[in-house]
Amino acid sequence: MIIRRDLEARARALFRAKGGKPTKEYPHYMTLGSCEWIKEWYPNGKVIRILLDDMQPEMMSFTYGDLFPTMRYQDDKPYRGKVYVKNEILQLVDEFGWPQDWNKDGRHGPERYIEVQVWDDRALGPFMKS
């Protein structure tokens, strides 16, 4: 947990440097686009679809892959150790494609989906149980 909290703090700082306005210290985690195999982790896995345009851009950051390996994995891929805002991640998808498509089984590295870090509870309010 110590490593995770350190990575989340680093992601939050990188996001703020790009104009993000997180209201939480630690984010909610989602994927950008469908990632069907994640549902298999849970006995009753479900999908919530939220339009990207319905979310406030200053409340969400993105990593090309899961935050943990993206920030720690050492190779020469240009998206390692970085956090992106909406327009940047869409450009990255244009350049590299969807990890959900080209790396479904994880054979090509740790990036298997694009992660969304949602830094505000209100953005997800209608979908959260109290």
Side-chain angles (χ1 to χ4, degrees):
M1 280 308 282
I2 293 169
I3 294 170
R4 173 162 295 282
R5 292 300 185 217
D6 177 60
L7 295 176
E8 289 169 333
R10 191 164 53 175
R12 188 175 193 271
L14 290 169
F15 181 48
R16 288 183 62 123
K18 291 186 173 207
K21 297 177 181 169
T23 62
K24 296 175 57 66
E25 194 171 347
Y26 309 111
H28 296 283
Y29 293 100
M30 304 182 86
T31 65
L32 179 62
S34 180
C35 189
E36 292 299 313
W37 63 268
I38 287 179
K39 285 192 320 185
E40 296 170 7
W41 291 355
Y42 307 96
N44 297 309
K46 305 259 190 268
V47 172
I48 296 173
R49 294 182 198 271
I50 303 171
L51 295 176
L52 193 56
D53 289 339
D54 288 346
M55 300 283 285
Q56 296 177 337
E58 66 275 5
M59 298 299 175
M60 59 184 171
S61 61
F62 304 85
T63 49
Y64 196 82
D66 182 272
L67 177 70
F68 208 91
T70 295
M71 294 304 212
R72 299 186 73 204
Y73 201 79
Q74 302 292 315
D75 63 16
D76 61 352
K77 292 183 179 172
Y79 44 78
R80 295 283 185 243
K82 297 180 182 175
V83 168
Y84 298 93
V85 294
K86 179 182 169 183
N87 66 322
E88 294 173 325
I89 199 66
L90 295 176
Q91 290 172 359
L92 212 58
V93 169
D94 285 343
E95 184 175 351
F96 294 100
W98 294 92
Q100 295 95 306
D101 293 337
W102 62 261
N103 197 24
K104 289 179 184 180
D105 59 8
R107 283 191 232 177
H108 303 290
E111 56 277 83
R112 295 190 64 195
Y113 51 84
I114 294 170
E115 187 173 89
V116 185
Q117 299 89 33
V118 181
W119 296 94
D120 185 86
D121 287 339
R122 293 170 296 176
L124 300 176
F127 305 101
M128 296 176 69
K129 292 181 180 181
S130 49

